Amino acid sequence: MSDLRIQTYVLGGVSTNCYLMFHNKTRQAVVVDPADNGAYVLNKCRELEVTPTAILLTHGHFDHIMAVEDICRAFPCQVYAGREENQLLQDPSMNLSGSMGMEQIGIEADVLVRDGEVLSLIGFEWKVLETPGHTAGSVCYYLESEKVLISGDTLFADSLGRTDLPTGDSRAIVRSITEKLLALPEDTMVYPGHGEVTTIGHEQRYNPVAVYSRH
């Protein structure tokens, strides 16, 4: 049985999925897209007796990044994001943090990752897949040994991310989904930035991007 455990917390005004992923034996953890409630995430870490060592960002929109600084203050985490996302992360007008009646925020990633790079974190290998479209620097993280894909706001159950926000590109997101994500094994579990967990096999059959590409 795998030692990977995944806890999902739906946080914030737009119901963002924050994933607390940890090794069951070592209790080391990775926080994926910590959303806007650092106190809640840190409380869950204490309850589960896990120690975050890294924060992985799928992209830089406000609803995925607001709690980064709170977690980094509590634990010495490195922050990872796509190499094309740094400007959006740092600019409140691009990451939209000022537009929702929330404080304007800009953060800087410690590590900018690129397509095909493999990160060794908490005893697992996380392959970076650059998936531009929702934003120019959107990335997904694929744990092949665990049959797990963290898809951010690129691929949703029966849907896909919007492309009408800064650096979005509708053609790019279709390419990212068809060429990178739907090419993965169909038994891969997909953990998206919003909504329900799905599988690559389900999306190969029913996602509108896949259906459209067959016609």
Side-chain angles (χ1 to χ4, degrees), residues 100-123:
M100 304 293 288
M102 308 172 88
E103 69 169 303
Q104 294 196 0
I105 188 171
I107 66 168
E108 192 163 348
D110 300 302
V111 183
L112 296 175
V113 296
R114 62 180 57 244
D115 192 52
E117 188 172 345
V118 177
L119 310 174
S120 294
L121 300 170
I122 66 167

PDB file of all heavy atoms in Angstrom, residues 100-123:
ATOM      1  N   MET A 100     -11.048  41.472  -5.431  1.00  0.00           N
ATOM      2  CA  MET A 100     -12.111  40.731  -4.754  1.00  0.00           C
ATOM      3  C   MET A 100     -12.368  41.269  -3.356  1.00  0.00           C
ATOM      4  O   MET A 100     -12.881  40.567  -2.490  1.00  0.00           O
ATOM      5  CB  MET A 100     -11.722  39.241  -4.674  1.00  0.00           C
ATOM      6  CG  MET A 100     -11.417  38.603  -5.999  1.00  0.00           C
ATOM      7  SD  MET A 100     -12.845  38.457  -7.085  1.00  0.00           S
ATOM      8  CE  MET A 100     -13.749  37.156  -6.262  1.00  0.00           C
ATOM      9  N   GLY A 101     -11.982  42.525  -3.110  1.00  0.00           N
ATOM     10  CA  GLY A 101     -12.162  43.092  -1.790  1.00  0.00           C
ATOM     11  C   GLY A 101     -11.214  42.528  -0.759  1.00  0.00           C
ATOM     12  O   GLY A 101     -11.435  42.649   0.453  1.00  0.00           O
ATOM     13  N   MET A 102     -10.138  41.876  -1.232  1.00  0.00           N
ATOM     14  CA  MET A 102      -9.146  41.302  -0.330  1.00  0.00           C
ATOM     15  C   MET A 102      -7.881  42.145  -0.403  1.00  0.00           C
ATOM     16  O   MET A 102      -7.745  43.013  -1.262  1.00  0.00           O
ATOM     17  CB  MET A 102      -8.844  39.854  -0.720  1.00  0.00           C
ATOM     18  CG  MET A 102     -10.079  38.986  -0.853  1.00  0.00           C
ATOM     19  SD  MET A 102      -9.722  37.368  -1.525  1.00  0.00           S
ATOM     20  CE  MET A 102      -9.332  36.495  -0.028  1.00  0.00           C
ATOM     21  N   GLU A 103      -6.955  41.882   0.502  1.00  0.00           N
ATOM     22  CA  GLU A 103      -5.702  42.623   0.459  1.00  0.00           C
ATOM     23  C   GLU A 103      -4.926  42.281  -0.809  1.00  0.00           C
ATOM     24  O   GLU A 103      -4.977  41.156  -1.305  1.00  0.00           O
ATOM     25  CB  GLU A 103      -4.848  42.307   1.687  1.00  0.00           C
ATOM     26  CG  GLU A 103      -4.297  40.886   1.721  1.00  0.00           C
ATOM     27  CD  GLU A 103      -3.256  40.686   2.803  1.00  0.00           C
ATOM     28  OE1 GLU A 103      -2.250  41.409   2.799  1.00  0.00           O
ATOM     29  OE2 GLU A 103      -3.460  39.796   3.639  1.00  0.00           O
ATOM     30  N   GLN A 104      -4.238  43.280  -1.338  1.00  0.00           N
ATOM     31  CA  GLN A 104      -3.376  43.029  -2.489  1.00  0.00           C
ATOM     32  C   GLN A 104      -2.153  42.257  -2.019  1.00  0.00           C
ATOM     33  O   GLN A 104      -1.582  42.568  -0.970  1.00  0.00           O
ATOM     34  CB  GLN A 104      -2.961  44.344  -3.138  1.00  0.00           C
ATOM     35  CG  GLN A 104      -4.121  45.095  -3.758  1.00  0.00           C
ATOM     36  CD  GLN A 104      -3.660  46.176  -4.711  1.00  0.00           C
ATOM     37  OE1 GLN A 104      -2.474  46.383  -4.919  1.00  0.00           O
ATOM     38  NE2 GLN A 104      -4.604  46.856  -5.315  1.00  0.00           N
ATOM     39  N   ILE A 105      -1.793  41.255  -2.779  1.00  0.00           N
ATOM     40  CA  ILE A 105      -0.674  40.410  -2.378  1.00  0.00           C
ATOM     41  C   ILE A 105       0.203  40.094  -3.573  1.00  0.00           C
ATOM     42  O   ILE A 105      -0.291  39.928  -4.700  1.00  0.00           O
ATOM     43  CB  ILE A 105      -1.179  39.109  -1.707  1.00  0.00           C
ATOM     44  CG1 ILE A 105      -0.011  38.317  -1.105  1.00  0.00           C
ATOM     45  CG2 ILE A 105      -1.984  38.261  -2.679  1.00  0.00           C
ATOM     46  CD1 ILE A 105      -0.457  37.141  -0.258  1.00  0.00           C
ATOM     47  N   GLY A 106       1.477  40.053  -3.329  1.00  0.00           N
ATOM     48  CA  GLY A 106       2.432  39.589  -4.325  1.00  0.00           C
ATOM     49  C   GLY A 106       3.428  38.688  -3.625  1.00  0.00           C
ATOM     50  O   GLY A 106       3.907  38.999  -2.537  1.00  0.00           O
ATOM     51  N   ILE A 107       3.706  37.540  -4.203  1.00  0.00           N
ATOM     52  CA  ILE A 107       4.686  36.636  -3.601  1.00  0.00           C
ATOM     53  C   ILE A 107       5.717  36.256  -4.646  1.00  0.00           C
ATOM     54  O   ILE A 107       5.489  36.402  -5.856  1.00  0.00           O
ATOM     55  CB  ILE A 107       4.029  35.365  -3.016  1.00  0.00           C
ATOM     56  CG1 ILE A 107       3.426  34.505  -4.130  1.00  0.00           C
ATOM     57  CG2 ILE A 107       2.977  35.706  -1.976  1.00  0.00           C
ATOM     58  CD1 ILE A 107       3.040  33.125  -3.654  1.00  0.00           C
ATOM     59  N   GLU A 108       6.845  35.757  -4.167  1.00  0.00           N
ATOM     60  CA  GLU A 108       7.905  35.337  -5.066  1.00  0.00           C
ATOM     61  C   GLU A 108       8.233  33.882  -4.777  1.00  0.00           C
ATOM     62  O   GLU A 108       8.435  33.503  -3.621  1.00  0.00           O
ATOM     63  CB  GLU A 108       9.145  36.207  -4.864  1.00  0.00           C
ATOM     64  CG  GLU A 108      10.187  36.029  -5.954  1.00  0.00           C
ATOM     65  CD  GLU A 108      11.206  37.164  -5.979  1.00  0.00           C
ATOM     66  OE1 GLU A 108      10.980  38.187  -5.308  1.00  0.00           O
ATOM     67  OE2 GLU A 108      12.216  37.011  -6.677  1.00  0.00           O
ATOM     68  N   ALA A 109       8.270  33.071  -5.817  1.00  0.00           N
ATOM     69  CA  ALA A 109       8.613  31.661  -5.640  1.00  0.00           C
ATOM     70  C   ALA A 109      10.109  31.514  -5.368  1.00  0.00           C
ATOM     71  O   ALA A 109      10.930  32.271  -5.898  1.00  0.00           O
ATOM     72  CB  ALA A 109       8.219  30.867  -6.878  1.00  0.00           C
ATOM     73  N   ASP A 110      10.459  30.533  -4.540  1.00  0.00           N
ATOM     74  CA  ASP A 110      11.871  30.224  -4.301  1.00  0.00           C
ATOM     75  C   ASP A 110      12.468  29.429  -5.450  1.00  0.00           C
ATOM     76  O   ASP A 110      13.642  29.571  -5.776  1.00  0.00           O
ATOM     77  CB  ASP A 110      12.021  29.407  -3.008  1.00  0.00           C
ATOM     78  CG  ASP A 110      11.510  30.150  -1.799  1.00  0.00           C
ATOM     79  OD1 ASP A 110      12.017  31.257  -1.528  1.00  0.00           O
ATOM     80  OD2 ASP A 110      10.596  29.633  -1.127  1.00  0.00           O
ATOM     81  N   VAL A 111      11.645  28.578  -6.056  1.00  0.00           N
ATOM     82  CA  VAL A 111      12.107  27.697  -7.124  1.00  0.00           C
ATOM     83  C   VAL A 111      11.141  27.800  -8.297  1.00  0.00           C
ATOM     84  O   VAL A 111       9.939  27.566  -8.135  1.00  0.00           O
ATOM     85  CB  VAL A 111      12.188  26.224  -6.652  1.00  0.00           C
ATOM     86  CG1 VAL A 111      12.734  25.336  -7.762  1.00  0.00           C
ATOM     87  CG2 VAL A 111      13.034  26.099  -5.388  1.00  0.00           C
ATOM     88  N   LEU A 112      11.656  28.151  -9.472  1.00  0.00           N
ATOM     89  CA  LEU A 112      10.849  28.191 -10.692  1.00  0.00           C
ATOM     90  C   LEU A 112      11.125  26.925 -11.492  1.00  0.00           C
ATOM     91  O   LEU A 112      12.268  26.659 -11.876  1.00  0.00           O
ATOM     92  CB  LEU A 112      11.184  29.439 -11.514  1.00  0.00           C
ATOM     93  CG  LEU A 112      10.852  30.774 -10.830  1.00  0.00           C
ATOM     94  CD1 LEU A 112      11.329  31.943 -11.678  1.00  0.00           C
ATOM     95  CD2 LEU A 112       9.353  30.895 -10.552  1.00  0.00           C
ATOM     96  N   VAL A 113      10.075  26.144 -11.720  1.00  0.00           N
ATOM     97  CA  VAL A 113      10.239  24.820 -12.322  1.00  0.00           C
ATOM     98  C   VAL A 113       9.899  24.864 -13.803  1.00  0.00           C
ATOM     99  O   VAL A 113       9.187  25.743 -14.281  1.00  0.00           O
ATOM    100  CB  VAL A 113       9.359  23.781 -11.597  1.00  0.00           C
ATOM    101  CG1 VAL A 113       9.811  23.624 -10.155  1.00  0.00           C
ATOM    102  CG2 VAL A 113       7.878  24.167 -11.634  1.00  0.00           C
ATOM    103  N   ARG A 114      10.416  23.877 -14.529  1.00  0.00           N
ATOM    104  CA  ARG A 114      10.203  23.831 -15.980  1.00  0.00           C
ATOM    105  C   ARG A 114       9.691  22.463 -16.393  1.00  0.00           C
ATOM    106  O   ARG A 114       9.782  21.490 -15.645  1.00  0.00           O
ATOM    107  CB  ARG A 114      11.483  24.184 -16.738  1.00  0.00           C
ATOM    108  CG  ARG A 114      12.653  23.258 -16.520  1.00  0.00           C
ATOM    109  CD  ARG A 114      13.876  23.708 -17.316  1.00  0.00           C
ATOM    110  NE  ARG A 114      14.273  25.065 -16.986  1.00  0.00           N
ATOM    111  CZ  ARG A 114      14.235  26.069 -17.874  1.00  0.00           C
ATOM    112  NH1 ARG A 114      13.820  25.857 -19.118  1.00  0.00           N
ATOM    113  NH2 ARG A 114      14.633  27.271 -17.523  1.00  0.00           N
ATOM    114  N   ASP A 115       9.176  22.398 -17.602  1.00  0.00           N
ATOM    115  CA  ASP A 115       8.555  21.177 -18.131  1.00  0.00           C
ATOM    116  C   ASP A 115       9.524  19.997 -18.090  1.00  0.00           C
ATOM    117  O   ASP A 115      10.680  20.106 -18.508  1.00  0.00           O
ATOM    118  CB  ASP A 115       8.113  21.418 -19.579  1.00  0.00           C
ATOM    119  CG  ASP A 115       7.217  20.311 -20.096  1.00  0.00           C
ATOM    120  OD1 ASP A 115       6.229  19.991 -19.415  1.00  0.00           O
ATOM    121  OD2 ASP A 115       7.516  19.768 -21.175  1.00  0.00           O
ATOM    122  N   GLY A 116       9.062  18.877 -17.557  1.00  0.00           N
ATOM    123  CA  GLY A 116       9.851  17.661 -17.508  1.00  0.00           C
ATOM    124  C   GLY A 116      10.738  17.530 -16.292  1.00  0.00           C
ATOM    125  O   GLY A 116      11.293  16.451 -16.033  1.00  0.00           O
ATOM    126  N   GLU A 117      10.880  18.598 -15.534  1.00  0.00           N
ATOM    127  CA  GLU A 117      11.692  18.549 -14.317  1.00  0.00           C
ATOM    128  C   GLU A 117      11.043  17.610 -13.306  1.00  0.00           C
ATOM    129  O   GLU A 117       9.821  17.555 -13.181  1.00  0.00           O
ATOM    130  CB  GLU A 117      11.812  19.966 -13.743  1.00  0.00           C
ATOM    131  CG  GLU A 117      12.780  20.111 -12.598  1.00  0.00           C
ATOM    132  CD  GLU A 117      12.982  21.564 -12.208  1.00  0.00           C
ATOM    133  OE1 GLU A 117      12.605  22.466 -12.975  1.00  0.00           O
ATOM    134  OE2 GLU A 117      13.525  21.793 -11.106  1.00  0.00           O
ATOM    135  N   VAL A 118      11.870  16.863 -12.584  1.00  0.00           N
ATOM    136  CA  VAL A 118      11.364  15.944 -11.565  1.00  0.00           C
ATOM    137  C   VAL A 118      11.831  16.423 -10.195  1.00  0.00           C
ATOM    138  O   VAL A 118      13.034  16.564  -9.952  1.00  0.00           O
ATOM    139  CB  VAL A 118      11.824  14.500 -11.823  1.00  0.00           C
ATOM    140  CG1 VAL A 118      11.336  13.573 -10.706  1.00  0.00           C
ATOM    141  CG2 VAL A 118      11.316  14.014 -13.178  1.00  0.00           C
ATOM    142  N   LEU A 119      10.880  16.683  -9.315  1.00  0.00           N
ATOM    143  CA  LEU A 119      11.176  17.133  -7.957  1.00  0.00           C
ATOM    144  C   LEU A 119      11.103  15.932  -7.014  1.00  0.00           C
ATOM    145  O   LEU A 119      10.154  15.152  -7.066  1.00  0.00           O
ATOM    146  CB  LEU A 119      10.159  18.179  -7.517  1.00  0.00           C
ATOM    147  CG  LEU A 119       9.903  19.345  -8.474  1.00  0.00           C
ATOM    148  CD1 LEU A 119       8.760  20.221  -7.949  1.00  0.00           C
ATOM    149  CD2 LEU A 119      11.161  20.165  -8.674  1.00  0.00           C
ATOM    150  N   SER A 120      12.101  15.812  -6.166  1.00  0.00           N
ATOM    151  CA  SER A 120      12.087  14.764  -5.142  1.00  0.00           C
ATOM    152  C   SER A 120      11.675  15.396  -3.824  1.00  0.00           C
ATOM    153  O   SER A 120      12.454  16.123  -3.202  1.00  0.00           O
ATOM    154  CB  SER A 120      13.465  14.111  -5.025  1.00  0.00           C
ATOM    155  OG  SER A 120      13.785  13.407  -6.204  1.00  0.00           O
ATOM    156  N   LEU A 121      10.440  15.151  -3.421  1.00  0.00           N
ATOM    157  CA  LEU A 121       9.881  15.765  -2.224  1.00  0.00           C
ATOM    158  C   LEU A 121       9.157  14.712  -1.399  1.00  0.00           C
ATOM    159  O   LEU A 121       8.407  13.902  -1.943  1.00  0.00           O
ATOM    160  CB  LEU A 121       8.899  16.876  -2.599  1.00  0.00           C
ATOM    161  CG  LEU A 121       9.442  18.058  -3.424  1.00  0.00           C
ATOM    162  CD1 LEU A 121       8.285  18.923  -3.918  1.00  0.00           C
ATOM    163  CD2 LEU A 121      10.427  18.883  -2.602  1.00  0.00           C
ATOM    164  N   ILE A 122       9.384  14.708  -0.116  1.00  0.00           N
ATOM    165  CA  ILE A 122       8.758  13.829   0.893  1.00  0.00           C
ATOM    166  C   ILE A 122       8.763  12.358   0.491  1.00  0.00           C
ATOM    167  O   ILE A 122       7.856  11.603   0.839  1.00  0.00           O
ATOM    168  CB  ILE A 122       7.347  14.304   1.295  1.00  0.00           C
ATOM    169  CG1 ILE A 122       6.351  14.217   0.136  1.00  0.00           C
ATOM    170  CG2 ILE A 122       7.397  15.735   1.840  1.00  0.00           C
ATOM    171  CD1 ILE A 122       4.875  14.384   0.567  1.00  0.00           C
ATOM    172  N   GLY A 123       9.794  11.942  -0.233  1.00  0.00           N
ATOM    173  CA  GLY A 123       9.920  10.533  -0.589  1.00  0.00           C
ATOM    174  C   GLY A 123       9.233  10.118  -1.872  1.00  0.00           C
ATOM    175  O   GLY A 123       9.164   8.924  -2.183  1.00  0.00           O
TER     176      GLY A 123
END
